[in-house]
Amino acid sequence: TSTREMLKRVLKCQKFSARHLLYRNESSANVYIHWPYCNKICTYCNFNKYLNTNVDHQRLLSCLLTEWRVLSDRHQITSADTIFFGGGTPSLMHMDTIEALVREISGSKGALEVSLEGNPGDLLGKMSSLESAGVTRLSMGMQALS
């Protein structure tokens, strides 16, 4: 598949496509994936966000993987040093989505730092699944404690 064809696919996924911000260091990068869905809309949050209703997780995963492949090809990125899942509320993502993204982006590099933002209530009972999916660090904002 050519880069042009892949880019066309990414543009078709625009509604679901989270922006990867690549911070390059030679042939590796630090990757940010924005998960824009939340259980409620908080007035203090100025980030791109939507209510977590009827999210097509499979389509979102497909769009994110396509976007990663296009960007890594275009910028000649062969591996990632870190992945940060921000939001929104990325702790609402399905574990298989997180795992597939981590596996694809880390490639043959294997272990790398993978951070995920979350709310304490969303993380209950998910710790071992998050670890199995490749998450190595959790980030919780102070607003999540109220």
Side-chain angles (χ1 to χ4, degrees), residues 58-128:
Q58 194 57 45
R59 183 172 177 206
L60 178 60
L61 174 60
S62 176
C63 290
L64 289 169
L65 290 172
T66 300
E67 187 169 10
W68 165 251
R69 291 171 185 148
V70 168
L71 290 173
S72 60
D73 180 58
R74 173 178 272 179
H75 298 285
Q76 299 175 342
I77 304 296
T78 58
S79 66
D81 295 322
T82 62
I83 302 171
F84 188 90
F85 291 94
T89 313
S91 54
L92 296 173
M93 294 175 82
H94 290 171
M95 289 303 130
D96 57 338
T97 301
I98 296 169
E99 185 175 11
L101 289 165
V102 170
R103 188 178 335 108
E104 174 83 17
I105 294 169
S106 65
S108 61
K109 190 170 191 172
L112 60 128
E113 182 180 299
V114 178
S115 300
L116 181 127
E117 288 182 345
N119 290 328
D122 301 330
L123 298 171
L124 293 174
K126 293 183 179 179
M127 299 309 252
S128 63

Side-chain angles (χ1 to χ4, degrees), residues 9-11 13 28 36-37 56 76 88 91 96 109 113 118 122 125 134 144:
R9 278 194 244 158
V10 168
L11 294 175
C13 298
S28 67
Y37 300 101
D56 186 340
Q76 299 175 342
S91 54
D96 57 338
K109 190 170 191 172
E113 182 180 299
D122 301 330

Side-chain angles (χ1 to χ4, degrees), residues 20-54:
H20 291 266
L21 299 179
L22 298 175
Y23 299 98
R24 284 191 70 190
N25 179 16
E26 299 298 318
S27 63
S28 67
N30 299 311
V31 180
Y32 174 80
I33 299 173
H34 186 78
W35 175 262
Y37 300 101
C38 301
N39 281 332
K40 65 178 186 171
I41 301 298
C42 299
T43 56
Y44 58 81
C45 179
N46 291 324
F47 293 105
N48 178 30
K49 60 197 175 286
Y50 307 96
L51 282 177
N52 188 38
T53 57
N54 301 319

